[in-house]
Amino acid sequence: MVSSDTIELDEVVVRYRSGWQLGPVSATFPVGVSALVGPNGAGKTTMLAVLTGIKRPKAGTLRRDGQPVRRRREGSGYRAHIGYVPQECTWSPSWPVEDFLTFCARMYRVPSTQVRHRCQGVMSDLNVGQFAHQPIGTLSGGQKRRVFLAAALVHDPEVLILDEPTVGLDPGERISFRRHVVEQAASRVVVLSTHLMDDVALSADQVHLVDGGHITWSGTLPELMAAAGESDSQDHVSVAERGYLHLMQGRAESELPEGDR
Ligand SMILES: Nc1ncnc2c1ncn2[C@@H]1O[C@H](COP(=O)(O)OP(=O)(O)OP(=O)(O)O)[C@@H](O)[C@H]1O
């Protein structure tokens, strides 16, 4: 893998027919885990859709390593460098794991001589080899998530995009899934959206708060903790939670008329 150092949104705007608008938003996503956090309907999935190259912005530019991304045929160009695990994965439940991964590898044009090797590799990395011949529909939520992460990694992408990856997982599965994500982020750009502050506090290097179609705050985990006034605390999860509430509340209050504050 030739690694991308950054992907970047530069003054990006998306507008839906309903009139809802994302942006303009600008943000840079380096190697490591960047988390998009915010309430329902804030625009996180829309931002991820632009980052995957699936959604074309109405204005602004998506850049990879500083270069504007131009859309090309699927499987070539930018999208060949992206691994994506959407919020809901709706593949046929009767499909055995290894067959599914083989299909994904071929879809991403992994050279045929390497397909088996890549599938074996990601099954081993994600600890799903024991399910190779099992239909996806017979796996637990956490096991399925690991299979979909394996599918997103089968072509060794430079960028991994995960939409609420740990929703519905039990505590053990979440810990294990997070560990896999952090391992993958050692050498690639990972952008994930989440509502869960333990995902943020235990995996994110960079945090972006998203609200009303805008990025309202960006910083590191220590900076988020500092917003709660407790940057030295060892309890990263609850302090990050308090930092989040403080920053979101601050924004809401600043928009209120003075007499209502
Ligand atoms: N295809 C679409 N057409 C019209 N409006 C849409 C479409 N997709 C999303 N929206 C609207 O855009 C806004 C942002 O949605 P988005 O899914 O990006 O938010 P989100 O932060 O990911 O939310 P959640 O945390 O609930 O997944 C919402 O108001 C949503 O109703």
Side-chain angles (χ1 to χ4, degrees):
M1 179 180 70
V2 180
S3 75
S4 276
D5 290 332
T6 58
I7 53 171
E8 185 187 342
L9 300 175
D10 182 5
E11 296 288 305
V12 160
V13 174
V14 172
R15 195 172 299 145
Y16 291 123
R17 288 212 180 107
S18 60
W20 187 90
Q21 179 169 312
L22 173 79
V25 283
S26 295
T28 301
F29 303 95
V31 169
V33 177
S34 295
L36 305 180
V37 198
N40 289 127
K44 303 179 295 297
T45 299
T46 304
M47 222 182 285
L48 294 183
V50 175
L51 289 171
T52 59
I54 293 170
K55 184 164 280 300
R56 190 173 203 165
K58 182 177 172 57
T61 310
L62 169 66
R63 294 179 199 280
R64 169 170 160 245
D65 288 341
Q67 297 302 311
V69 169
R70 300 183 211 295
R71 276 166 46 113
R72 295 191 202 141
R73 279 183 305 134
E74 176 151 14
S76 63
Y78 178 74
R79 284 175 66 178
H81 302 283
I82 305 294
Y84 176 43
V85 183
Q87 228 170 84
E88 285 175 25
C89 302
T90 50
W91 290 93
S92 165
S94 61
W95 216 339
V97 168
E98 189 169 4
D99 293 359
F100 171 62
L101 295 175
T102 301
F103 168 81
C104 293
R106 293 203 172 121
M107 194 177 73
Y108 278 110
R109 299 183 185 175
V110 172
S112 51
T113 51
Q114 291 175 28
V115 167
R116 191 173 156 73
H117 173 71
R118 285 296 310 159
C119 290
Q120 297 291 333
V122 288
M123 283 195 292
S124 158
D125 290 349
L126 275 300
N127 196 22
V128 292
Q130 67 273 39
F131 312 123
H133 305 296
Q134 211 169 306
I136 295 172
T138 64
L139 304 179
S140 79
Q143 292 161 352
K144 274 186 206 145
R145 279 268 145 195
R146 295 211 305 274
V147 168
F148 290 120
L149 183 56
L153 290 167
V154 76
H155 56 306
D156 199 16
E158 298 167 21
V159 178
L160 183 60
I161 295 185
L162 309 169
D163 200 350
E164 298 192 25
T166 61
V167 165
L169 305 191
D170 75 29
E173 287 174 333
R174 274 169 62 189
I175 291 165
S176 143
F177 191 87
R178 258 194 316 254
R179 204 188 64 234
H180 289 302
V181 169
V182 169
E183 275 168 18
Q184 294 302 326
S187 58
R188 52 187 117 225
V189 176
V190 176
V191 186
L192 59 84
S193 80
T194 184
H195 293 123
L196 303 169
M197 288 312 286
D198 52 350
D199 282 352
V200 175
L202 302 173
S203 65
D205 303 298
Q206 295 287 323
V207 186
H208 301 277
L209 303 191
V210 183
D211 195 13
H214 292 276
I215 293 179
T216 55
W217 183 89
S218 298
T220 60
L221 178 65
E223 286 166 347
L224 180 63
M225 292 171 65
E230 300 173 58
S231 46
D232 293 336
S233 170
Q234 293 306 303
D235 185 0
H236 291 186
V237 177
S238 27
V239 176
E241 223 158 45
R242 286 198 285 281
Y244 170 81
L245 290 174
H246 176 78
L247 289 164
M248 295 302 268
Q249 187 187 353
R251 189 201 65 82
E253 278 181 1
S254 69
E255 286 184 357
L256 289 173
E258 249 175 60
D260 294 345
R261 286 180 208 163

